[in-house]
Amino acid sequence: MFGPLTVKPIKSKGDKTGSWRVRLKPKYLHKNCIGCKMCILICPEGCIMGEEKNTLLPDYNYCKGCGLCAIICPKKDILMIDEESEGESK
Ligand code: SF4
Ligand code: SF4
């Protein structure tokens, strides 16, 4: 559950997220989204874009990989994946 917090911190591309980010990123599946926008509301970086259901996407330049969007999504439509392997995190 707290996998994203245990990953070794790395610096973001161009330091757009400040001095830290984790090596995970959210992958929006765009299968079961109901457009509730809970992910947008909880994102501390305000970096999730889109208006309609199944169109939301994070701006990875600013995403810290914190995983809050994936945790709060009621439809489990967001997976946290490893940036390098593109595999799902444990
Ligand atoms: S992982 Fe964190 S920073 Fe990135 S889009 Fe989700 S809530 Fe925002
Ligand atoms: S929290 Fe999940 S269901 Fe709600 S808008 Fe975001 S992706 Fe869609």
Side-chain angles (χ1 to χ4, degrees), residues 24-26 28 39 42-48 58-59 62-70 78 80:
L24 297 176
K25 68 178 183 181
Y28 278 63
C39 53
I42 203 168
C43 177
E45 298 302 308
C47 66
I48 300 172
D59 182 337
Y62 296 96
C63 170
K64 282 183 176 287
C66 68
L68 290 175
C69 54
I78 307 168
M80 295 306 292

Side-chain angles (χ1 to χ4, degrees), residues 4-5 9 11 20 22 24-26 34 36 46-48 51 60 65 74 76 78 83:
L5 298 178
K11 290 196 109 180
W20 71 272
V22 296
L24 297 176
K25 68 178 183 181
I34 55 174
C36 68
C47 66
I48 300 172
E51 293 295 326
Y60 292 119
K76 303 299 178 210
I78 307 168
E83 279 191 330

Side-chain angles (χ1 to χ4, degrees), residues 28 32-39 56 72-75 77-78:
Y28 278 63
N32 302 310
C33 176
I34 55 174
C36 68
K37 299 186 178 178
M38 292 296 289
C39 53
L56 304 181
I72 201 148
C73 177
K75 303 303 288 183
D77 209 36
I78 307 168

